[in-house]
Amino acid sequence: MKKERWYNILAAYLKQHRMAYSIFICFALIFAFIFSLYDLETEAVWYAAGLCVFASLVALPVDFFFFAKNHRECRRILPNIPLQIEELPAARTLAEQDLQDMLFETKRILDTRLNIWQARQAESVDYYTTWVHQIKTPISVMKMALESEDTLEHKELLAELFRIEQYVGMALTYLRLNSESSDYVIKNYDLDLIIKQAIHKYAPQFIHRKIRLYYPPVSIQVLTDEKWLLFIIEQVLSNSIKYTRQGSVTISVTPDKVLKIKDTGIGIAPEDVPRIFEKGFTGYNGRADKKSTGLGLYLCKQAAERLSHKISAESAPNTGTTISIDLHTDESIAN
């Protein structure tokens, strides 16, 4: 926070006490008028006035010192007021005491409501977690039934069932990302193993859509959370498959740990590229597809930020899209 100049504090002090100064000057003018009206000796008046001025020159700097001290203490506490509210300077006036009482009461109300909200949020996460695990059973049964016959119709239904699994997982991810609790396990992971998990999951989709996949295995360790990085990669691959009618998807990692997933799909309109990570934004392609939720890349962005990774996109219509995930992370994140 920018440090205030002493003269700015002095100006505020003088402004706050302007009524007292005005009354003092008014009284002085009244005394001067009365003494002049009755033609009284002014020597005693000037002597008394000099003593008042001297007393003021002694008292006001002391009062201003404590005024400035209290002000600076309040400004120090301000950035962390929820944690340091008990350290507020003692109230010097009844008005200050009223304001502090209102502040403490407001904090008490907000803390109560926050606890209620956190409890409800935890209940929601628990409910959807249970629901996701329960819904996996009928999905698995349907999947086994459809895999029993290798027909075109069953392949189409399997593809749609796979999308249902994605949306179910996305709902749970959305809740977990907005939850106060954290289940991150930050440590060094083998990036190749994480990428291969995502490839294995989407292999049937690549085969079904006849999209080629290029991925030369890498031998790189990255500081991240395996589950959340896997989620990001899966969402990017899902988009690549969805918007690539024919061609290929290439996964590569640069020496400075930037994971790139490039497809030869329909691409993204230039005006849409800066907004594809916004919540609910579908863009031209999403509106044309009618099935896009606008949540996949938004969740990727949120998860990446929590892992201190950077995610960006490059694209052009009819030439494909490249999503880059910068996995170069400061070691301090693990502490």
Side-chain angles (χ1 to χ4, degrees):
M1 183 177 294
K2 186 178 179 181
K3 186 177 180 180
E4 287 185 278
R5 302 289 185 180
W6 68 267
Y7 48 79
N8 291 329
I9 302 176
L10 178 61
Y13 175 82
L14 295 175
K15 183 178 180 180
Q16 178 175 317
H17 294 86
R18 62 183 181 278
M19 181 59 69
Y21 305 144
S22 300
I23 293 175
F24 180 82
I25 293 172
C26 182
F27 286 168
L29 292 175
I30 291 174
F31 272 94
F33 175 72
I34 296 298
F35 272 76
S36 63
L37 185 65
Y38 288 93
D39 196 23
L40 299 175
E41 292 292 336
T42 59
E43 183 178 351
V45 177
W46 286 114
Y47 181 73
L51 290 177
C52 290
V53 170
F54 176 77
S56 299
L57 291 177
V58 173
L60 290 179
V62 174
D63 187 59
F64 172 71
F65 170 79
F66 286 106
F67 175 86
K69 181 180 178 182
N70 282 11
H71 172 72
R72 290 196 172 104
E73 185 65 12
C74 290
R75 301 300 291 181
R76 181 188 68 81
I77 295 173
L78 184 59
N80 299 306
I81 190 66
L83 302 176
Q84 297 180 293
I85 190 171
E86 302 294 338
E87 299 180 20
L88 283 172
R92 303 174 65 210
T93 65
L94 184 60
E96 287 184 2
Q97 185 62 56
D98 290 339
L99 288 174
Q100 287 192 10
D101 289 343
M102 288 189 286
L103 183 60
F104 283 118
E105 180 62 16
T106 301
K107 182 179 184 299
R108 185 191 67 79
I109 294 172
L110 290 177
D111 286 344
T112 301
R113 293 182 177 178
L114 178 60
N115 290 335
I116 294 173
W117 179 84
Q118 287 177 335
R120 290 177 178 174
Q121 187 75 2
E123 289 177 1
S124 296
V125 173
D126 290 342
Y127 169 77
Y128 281 102
T129 301
T130 303
W131 180 83
V132 166
H133 289 298
Q134 290 176 337
I135 203 68
K136 284 182 178 179
T137 300
I139 289 176
S140 298
V141 173
M142 288 187 287
K143 188 175 182 180
M144 290 176 62
L146 292 172
E147 288 176 342
S148 62
E149 293 186 32
D150 188 17
T151 65
L152 181 60
E153 181 182 8
H154 280 204
K155 288 180 180 179
E156 293 291 340
L157 290 174
L158 278 170
E160 294 302 315
L161 192 60
F162 182 79
R163 294 181 64 178
I164 292 175
E165 287 184 286
Q166 285 184 285
Y167 292 142
V168 168
M170 191 181 295
L172 183 60
T173 300
Y174 180 80
L175 284 173
R176 284 178 172 170
L177 276 174
N178 290 280
S179 174
E180 292 296 316
S181 60
S182 172
D183 60 348
Y184 301 114
V185 180
I186 304 296
K187 64 179 184 179
N188 282 304
Y189 290 94
D190 187 337
L191 181 58
D192 184 64
L193 295 178
I194 299 177
I195 294 174
K196 285 181 177 178
Q197 288 182 62
I199 292 174
H200 177 74
K201 179 177 179 179
Y202 283 89
Q205 301 298 312
F206 279 103
I207 296 171
H208 176 67
R209 291 176 175 264
K210 298 180 180 179
I211 300 172
R212 295 185 301 277
L213 173 66
Y214 298 105
Y215 169 60
V218 296
S219 180
I220 294 178
Q221 294 283 317
V222 293
L223 188 64
T224 188
D225 176 89
E226 180 181 22
K227 182 183 69 176
W228 287 104
L229 179 58
L230 177 61
F231 168 79
I232 296 172
I233 296 173
E234 287 178 352
Q235 287 299 312
V236 176
L237 283 179
S238 174
N239 277 8
S240 294
I241 294 171
K242 182 190 300 183
Y243 295 112
T244 301
R245 303 290 183 257
Q246 59 181 1
S248 63
V249 174
T250 302
I251 303 175
S252 61
V253 182
T254 66
D256 53 348
K257 297 184 179 181
V258 177
L259 172 63
K260 293 180 177 291
I261 301 177
K262 180 180 180 181
D263 62 58
T264 58
I266 60 178
I268 305 171
E271 63 272 17
D272 289 343
V273 173
R275 300 187 58 193
I276 62 173
F277 295 107
E278 293 181 10
K279 183 179 179 180
F281 182 76
T282 58
Y284 175 80
N285 293 338
R287 291 188 294 272
D289 183 65
K290 304 297 184 184
K291 299 176 183 178
S292 179
T293 62
L295 284 178
L297 289 179
Y298 165 76
L299 293 175
C300 287
K301 180 76 170 181
Q302 297 300 307
E305 288 179 351
R306 284 162 172 76
L307 297 173
S308 295
H309 300 329
K310 297 178 181 178
I311 185 169
S312 58
E314 297 177 9
S315 184
N318 302 317
T319 61
T321 301
T322 300
I323 300 294
S324 299
I325 307 168
D326 188 348
L327 302 174
H328 177 73
T329 307
D330 187 357
E331 297 288 333
S332 62
I333 189 177
N335 299 327

